[in-house]
Amino acid sequence: MTPLLETRDLVKDFTIGGEIVHAVNGVSLTIENGEFVAIMGTSGSGKSTFMNMIGCLDIPTSGTLMLDGVDTKTLSNDQLAEIRNQKIGFVFQQFNLLARTSALDNVAVPLIYAGVPRAERLRLAEEKLVEMGLGDRLLNSPAKLSGGQQQRVAIARALVTKPLMLLADEPTGALDTQTSLDIMAVFQSLNEKGITVILVTHEPDIAEYAQRRVLFRDGKVIDDALVKNRKRTLANG
């Protein structure tokens, strides 16, 4: 079976002050469909740069990035944008919601770019918000939602196009401990339904909710192992 994601000798260089910095330096990694993987590392380790590349937000300097069997370097900018919209759902630390827009319309945004008619957009958006336990918050703006509710809206938005995988960049970084656990319960539940989840975090306790932990340092993978004694949220027993 073709892996969902495969990188071979992936490199991303930046030039800073006349010097070349290897943000990602020869990373080879395979992630299968249905995995829940935590990407860990301190600030500057390369984990966020790696996330940007596998999310087709940034182009590698060299190496190969295969996504669902397709070599991304053969794709045009428009094709990469289509992949981002249809195959990848993004969840961010600061939620990235439109401030003056309802939860319903925030979730519907990706469907605009997919050309879905408005009535169908709103139906699908409502469906995802109900799944996230926000059926009574459809018309609330972000200012009228708690941090945890805002992140659930962001997750609903990431899911509305039925992507192959969710990329979550520090999704609990702006949340308190209990709310963080609630969000991890959501991710574990989604993963058990077959959605691939790739989570970037610098928090070891959050990484323990994943099945597998990949540790970055100085742009390289220094450890890749299954999580021993994996934590389970109360929602999963």
Side-chain angles (χ1 to χ4, degrees):
M1 183 178 293
T2 302
L4 176 60
L5 179 74
E6 185 177 8
T7 72
R8 302 186 203 124
D9 300 318
L10 203 66
V11 172
K12 183 63 181 180
D13 294 338
F14 296 100
T15 301
I16 301 176
E19 294 186 2
I20 295 177
V21 175
H22 303 295
V24 172
N25 191 5
V27 170
S28 296
L29 196 66
T30 299
I31 295 176
E32 304 288 347
N33 274 291
E35 285 199 88
F36 188 165
V37 181
I39 306 291
M40 287 200 67
T42 58
S43 178
S45 63
K47 64 184 188 300
S48 291
T49 300
F50 180 75
M51 175 73 89
N52 286 339
M53 286 191 290
I54 65 175
C56 298
L57 295 169
D58 205 353
I59 297 173
T61 302
S62 64
T64 301
L65 170 58
M66 305 288 293
L67 181 58
D68 196 26
V70 176
D71 187 344
T72 57
K73 68 172 171 280
T74 67
L75 303 178
S76 67
N77 288 336
D78 286 346
Q79 289 171 321
L80 289 172
E82 186 175 349
I83 281 180
R84 287 193 299 270
N85 185 257
Q86 296 182 358
K87 294 190 176 184
I88 306 170
F90 295 93
V91 181
F92 303 98
Q93 178 176 342
Q94 298 299 334
F95 320 134
N96 287 12
L97 300 177
L98 300 173
R100 299 182 181 181
T101 302
S102 70
L104 191 64
D105 282 324
N106 262 289
V107 173
V109 165
L111 298 174
I112 295 174
Y113 300 109
V116 177
R118 178 169 172 77
E120 180 68 1
R121 293 200 304 266
L122 296 181
R123 186 190 70 78
L124 292 170
E126 180 176 353
E127 182 181 278
K128 290 304 173 187
L129 284 167
V130 169
E131 287 180 16
M132 289 295 110
L134 295 172
D136 59 344
R137 297 287 189 271
L138 301 180
L139 300 181
N140 286 36
S141 66
K144 295 181 180 179
L145 299 171
S146 69
Q149 289 171 336
Q150 289 185 60
Q151 193 59 292
R152 285 173 181 265
V153 172
I155 294 170
R157 180 185 57 193
L159 291 170
V160 76
T161 58
K162 300 180 180 178
L164 294 176
M165 66 178 175
L166 283 184
L167 298 185
D169 193 359
E170 301 282 3
T172 62
L175 304 175
D176 61 51
T177 300
Q178 183 55 53
T179 307
S180 295
L181 296 183
D182 292 342
I183 293 302
M184 294 313 297
V186 172
F187 283 128
Q188 284 193 337
S189 176
L190 291 170
N191 179 245
E192 288 177 357
K193 293 175 183 176
I195 295 175
T196 304
V197 180
I198 303 175
L199 168 79
V200 165
T201 184
H202 67 277
E203 302 176 77
D205 56 330
I206 292 297
E208 289 177 0
Y209 288 92
Q211 298 166 331
R212 175 181 167 197
R213 180 172 45 216
V214 178
L215 182 60
F216 274 66
R217 182 182 296 163
D218 298 328
K220 297 178 179 290
V221 171
I222 63 167
D223 189 49
D224 181 356
L226 296 177
V227 175
K228 295 180 180 178
N229 302 315
R230 182 190 183 197
K231 289 184 179 180
R232 307 292 292 175
T233 61
L234 293 178
N236 291 297

